[in-house]
Amino acid sequence: MSTEANPTALSPRSPSPGLFGALLNERSLVSFVGAVALVALWFLRRRYNGLLHDSMIYMGRGLADLDPSGVGADYFYRLDGQSSFSVFSKIVDALIPVFGLALLSQLLTVTALVLWLAAMAALASQLASGRLKWAILICVAAASGAYGGLPLQYAEAFATPRPFAEAGVLAALAALLAGSRPLAMLFLGLAALFHPIMALAGAGAVYVYLCLEDRRWIYLGLAGAALVLVAALLGVPLFSRLLERFDWNWLIVLRLRASFLFPLLWREPAWTTLAVHVVTLAFAATAATAPIRRLFWSVIAASLGGLLLTVVFGDIYPLVLIVQAQPWRAIWLLTLFGTIGVCFCVARLWAEGGASHASLALFVIAWIGAESKE
């Protein structure tokens, strides 16, 4: 093409800002600094302190697999039936010879926390934008994450499969809000590969969400539950364990040594903290758009459903498989979303002004009390 036909062909172009120019843009710079500060806060609140708590079990499983006549001869590992349900043990087995036990524990912990925060950022982007999105991320990073009667924590800073599974659940919920159900199911499947119990909360929330959209999912769930019950009554392997009851003497020992498995044995602070999270998320649902409101109620229903299932078939009529499955752990998701809900509640109460500011003050007091009981 000639220059006459295209007179701008030889005209000078304005220089492209490039990568560094974009970073120097005021808005980009603020976002970059904010992201760095968020990551710093995240890891300051979740400092790595070595092989602690359950990480000794999961990392020890790797030593047992590599040394079957030594560590593996311990009855704890010989009778271990838990590790076979998680791909985490296979990863540990493969990487211990490469990195060594101590370094691998650190690497797995950091990797899990990075994935967790990334998945949380993806979910926050679906829940809100602008300042509200950043407020959500800051509150989640700063919160203790404590739940249950022990208490336990989500996004724990030691090497276990749980934070990997939690990250998968958060990614699944982000995909669900984005309208990608196949991707949501994929992330739920990955979460279940690491820790089926922690993934159960996400699966329950997704199921309730779908039921609220289309009631036909309710009938599908009832049909599935009926099939499971029939399989249990017919004595089908694994399903038959669903009706297996505890030996009374062993149940007494278990309640004394592991009371956190039985919600009715939890101390009062665990229940008051749970109540604060439920009320917060329920109020936040009134300030959210329809899809987000549906997700908030789905999290409440799935989490409290898991807790109720444990109370009925763990405390009142104890069944071995239910106690082992620990469906009460679904409240980790409620605890997280309660923290997310704080941001929606504060934004609404502050904007309404007047008497709502007094409600906001009481709301803050309730949360200070809940967080102080970690």
Side-chain angles (χ1 to χ4, degrees), residues 138-230:
I138 291 170
C139 285
V140 170
S144 67
Y147 67 93
L150 197 54
L152 302 172
Q153 289 181 305
Y154 58 73
E156 55 199 4
F158 42 87
T160 75
R162 288 192 289 266
F164 287 97
E166 292 165 4
V169 168
L170 299 184
L173 296 181
L176 183 68
L177 288 178
S180 180
R181 292 182 182 178
L183 189 59
M185 297 305 174
L186 174 62
F187 281 125
L188 278 180
L190 291 174
L193 284 177
F194 277 91
H195 203 290
I197 293 175
M198 304 307 289
L200 191 61
V206 169
Y207 173 71
V208 176
Y209 186 94
L210 295 175
C211 288
L212 292 175
E213 277 190 338
D214 188 342
R215 292 184 180 180
R216 287 177 294 182
W217 284 95
I218 299 176
Y219 306 130
L220 182 63
L222 291 175
L227 287 175
V228 170
L229 181 59
V230 170

Side-chain angles (χ1 to χ4, degrees), residues 30-374:
V30 170
S31 298
F32 177 75
V33 173
V36 172
L38 175 67
V39 172
L41 175 62
W42 176 250
F43 281 99
L44 281 173
R45 286 289 285 162
R46 287 156 181 84
R47 290 174 292 180
Y48 178 77
N49 292 310
L51 283 163
L52 298 172
H53 309 303
D54 285 359
S55 64
M56 293 187 291
I57 298 174
Y58 288 104
M59 300 304 291
R61 175 73 263 175
L63 294 179
D65 291 340
L66 295 172
D67 183 20
S69 61
V71 179
D74 189 293
Y75 277 106
F76 182 86
Y77 293 111
R78 286 176 59 187
L79 301 177
D80 174 32
Q82 173 178 318
S83 301
S84 60
F85 291 97
S86 175
V87 72
F88 185 82
S89 299
K90 305 301 181 184
I91 295 174
V92 172
D93 290 352
L95 296 182
I96 280 183
V98 179
F99 297 103
L101 183 67
L103 178 57
L104 179 59
S105 177
Q106 295 179 46
L107 291 174
L108 288 173
T109 302
V110 172
T111 301
L113 291 178
V114 168
L115 291 174
W116 206 105
L117 185 58
M120 184 63 237
L123 178 58
S125 296
Q126 294 299 322
L127 292 172
S129 60
R131 294 178 180 178
L132 182 56
K133 179 184 73 174
W134 283 101
I136 290 171
L137 291 172
I138 291 170
C139 285
V140 170
S144 67
Y147 67 93
L150 197 54
L152 302 172
Q153 289 181 305
Y154 58 73
E156 55 199 4
F158 42 87
T160 75
R162 288 192 289 266
F164 287 97
E166 292 165 4
V169 168
L170 299 184
L173 296 181
L176 183 68
L177 288 178
S180 180
R181 292 182 182 178
L183 189 59
M185 297 305 174
L186 174 62
F187 281 125
L188 278 180
L190 291 174
L193 284 177
F194 277 91
H195 203 290
I197 293 175
M198 304 307 289
L200 191 61
V206 169
Y207 173 71
V208 176
Y209 186 94
L210 295 175
C211 288
L212 292 175
E213 277 190 338
D214 188 342
R215 292 184 180 180
R216 287 177 294 182
W217 284 95
I218 299 176
Y219 306 130
L220 182 63
L222 291 175
L227 287 175
V228 170
L229 181 59
V230 170
L233 293 173
L234 293 177
V236 176
L238 182 61
F239 292 99
S240 61
R241 294 188 57 204
L242 187 60
L243 303 179
E244 181 181 348
R245 299 197 64 181
F246 275 100
D247 173 79
W248 181 249
N249 293 320
W250 174 242
L251 181 62
I252 292 174
V253 173
L254 193 60
R255 283 177 169 170
L256 289 174
R257 299 293 298 273
S259 60
F260 67 93
L261 296 174
F262 304 93
L264 295 185
L265 298 180
W266 293 354
R267 295 181 179 179
E268 175 267 339
W271 289 101
T272 55
T273 299
L274 181 65
V276 169
H277 285 90
V278 171
V279 172
T280 299
L281 191 54
F283 184 75
T286 65
T289 58
I292 297 173
R293 180 168 60 250
R294 188 159 56 244
L295 179 60
F296 284 178
W297 283 114
S298 298
V299 169
I300 292 175
S303 300
L304 294 185
L307 183 62
L308 179 62
L309 183 65
T310 310
V311 168
V312 174
F313 296 108
D315 286 286
I316 300 173
Y317 188 85
L319 300 175
V320 174
L321 192 59
I322 296 299
V323 174
Q324 288 180 330
Q326 303 175 54
W328 61 268
R329 280 184 182 265
I331 63 174
W332 79 264
L333 194 60
L334 175 61
T335 302
L336 170 63
F337 269 80
T339 303
I340 293 172
V342 168
C343 302
F344 286 83
C345 296
V346 170
R348 175 179 175 178
L349 292 173
W350 182 260
E352 289 179 352
S356 294
H357 283 184
S359 300
L360 177 59
L362 295 174
F363 181 82
V364 171
I365 291 172
W367 264 89
I368 291 175
E371 282 291 298
S372 67
K373 295 171 183 176
E374 64 175 278

